[in-house]
Amino acid sequence: MTSRHISFKIIKFVGMMKVTLIGAGNLATQLGKSLKKAGVIISQVYSRTEDSARTLGELLEAEWLTDIKALRDEADIYIFSVKDSVLCELISEVCKGRGDKLFLHTAGSMPMSCFEGKALRYGVFYPMQTFSKTKDVDFERIPVFIEGNSIETENVIRNLANKLSQRVIRLSSADREYLHLAAVWACNFTNYCYTVASDILGEHGIPFDVMLPLINETTEKIQKISPKEAQTGPAVRGDRNVMSKQLELMNGKEDLQELYKMLSKGINPLVDNLTLDKRYINNKL
């Protein structure tokens, strides 16, 4: 039996598996905690920031370090959870000379090919969720999208993902780009809209938590009907009186006014060229 096959055999025994985390941010924190809970040994935690490395290392009972050259070769899997802008640089540094180890990244928008020519066994482990260090998540309910550079490697990645999630899906790098784009629209832009709403309320002494029942109902609704069917509000009704008045309420905030008009047009193309038309305002009042 070759050393490669021995490595695959060992890696299937989760209790014996050792993982090194490259990165100590939001995703790495939640992933590391879930891996540890599943019986995986977290060998080392690397971060360029000492405070982040120490905090996660101590939490996971792992050695922490800020010098990438101090990484040991004892881990079976090295998982990169870092910003896209530094991923390729770190891959070059970490993969070099580590032969048959398995290397994974967790980025939604980076292709698997960033490992090509730098590692023998590699792939993607992308849990699609919004993560925070301070709020634990139930990994069993998070879909994990995987990809491997060979069938054998992909099976190992799937075995690892199955220890954490009830929904593991193979997805190519090309399709994952669209998945990530959709996630930005559904999560990041939506959260920005929550921020805008929070700022508007705050300016008038209204607590943001009055929005929570509305937000929760919207979220629950789209689990039963399509988002398009669930759409409500002045734009879908074509209520120019309301929209014109609301634009006026945002005087001095031209960026928000333009965004309001663009989103309204996206909801209902018939509200194109929406302006601060006093006729509509006077009719409404």
Side-chain angles (χ1 to χ4, degrees):
M1 184 178 292
T2 66
S3 61
R4 184 181 185 200
H5 289 125
I6 291 173
S7 177
F8 273 110
K9 184 177 180 180
I10 290 176
I11 215 167
K12 291 180 182 179
F13 295 96
V14 175
M16 300 174 64
M17 187 188 301
K18 290 185 178 180
V19 167
T20 286
L21 297 176
I22 314 297
N26 295 340
L27 193 160
T29 297
Q30 295 301 325
L31 177 58
K33 290 167 72 173
S34 296
L35 287 170
K36 182 176 173 60
K37 184 178 179 181
V40 175
I41 298 170
I42 308 300
S43 178
Q44 292 181 299
V45 173
Y46 163 81
S47 176
R48 291 181 175 179
T49 306
E50 182 174 332
D51 183 59
S52 295
R54 179 192 294 110
T55 299
L56 185 55
E58 292 178 350
L59 179 66
L60 302 178
E61 299 178 298
E63 178 186 359
W64 59 270
L65 57 146
T66 58
D67 181 3
I68 199 69
K69 293 182 173 59
L71 283 178
R72 298 194 302 272
D73 292 334
E74 66 180 32
D76 302 296
I77 303 176
Y78 293 77
I79 301 179
F80 296 82
S81 294
V82 296
K83 293 189 295 186
D84 292 359
S85 59
V86 299
L87 177 60
C88 292
E89 174 190 342
L90 285 172
I91 284 175
S92 296
E93 293 187 64
V94 174
C95 295
K96 187 176 181 181
R98 287 194 162 86
D100 204 30
K101 304 294 185 179
L102 175 57
F103 301 93
L104 306 175
H105 77 62
T106 60
S109 57
M110 294 295 285
M112 182 174 66
S113 60
C114 57
F115 287 107
E116 284 183 6
K118 301 167 186 175
L120 297 176
R121 297 169 54 221
Y122 55 85
V124 176
F125 185 101
Y126 174 53
M128 193 185 68
Q129 182 56 280
T130 175
F131 294 98
S132 300
K133 289 184 180 181
T134 55
K135 186 180 185 302
D136 289 346
V137 295
D138 181 2
F139 242 93
E140 289 188 357
R141 302 179 62 185
I142 298 174
V144 177
F145 296 86
I146 64 168
E147 187 179 15
N149 71 313
S150 70
I151 294 176
E152 195 173 23
T153 296
E154 198 165 279
N155 286 337
V156 175
I157 301 170
R158 183 177 295 277
N159 287 339
L160 175 65
N162 283 335
K163 300 298 179 184
L164 304 182
S165 173
Q166 295 181 0
R167 192 173 188 189
V168 179
I169 303 168
R170 189 201 179 279
L171 197 67
S172 69
S173 290
D175 286 338
R176 188 165 21 86
E177 286 187 313
Y178 289 100
L179 176 71
H180 189 251
L181 171 61
V184 168
W185 276 101
C187 176
N188 306 138
F189 290 166
T190 301
N191 195 68
Y192 171 70
C193 290
Y194 294 156
T195 302
V196 172
S198 180
D199 290 344
I200 291 171
L201 293 170
E203 290 171 1
H204 299 277
I206 306 171
F208 179 72
D209 63 10
V210 301
M211 290 283 120
L212 297 182
L214 174 65
I215 292 170
N216 292 337
E217 174 61 21
T218 303
T219 303
E220 290 177 10
K221 191 187 299 184
I222 61 171
Q223 296 181 44
K224 299 177 181 178
I225 61 178
S226 72
K228 188 171 183 179
E229 291 175 306
Q231 186 69 62
T232 60
V236 76
R237 296 192 303 267
D239 193 339
R240 288 176 172 269
N241 291 351
V242 173
M243 289 185 283
S244 189
K245 177 60 177 177
Q246 289 183 339
L247 281 170
E248 185 187 30
L249 293 175
M250 291 184 286
N251 274 343
K253 300 176 180 178
E254 288 79 11
D255 289 346
L256 290 184
Q257 287 179 326
E258 288 304 312
L259 182 59
Y260 183 99
K261 288 190 281 187
M262 289 174 62
L263 291 175
S264 296
K265 179 184 175 183
I267 293 170
N268 184 352
L270 297 179
V271 301
D272 194 12
N273 300 320
L274 187 64
T275 61
L276 293 174
D277 192 327
K278 296 297 182 181
R279 292 174 300 168
Y280 295 120
I281 297 174
N282 292 333
N283 289 340
K284 181 67 177 179
L285 296 176

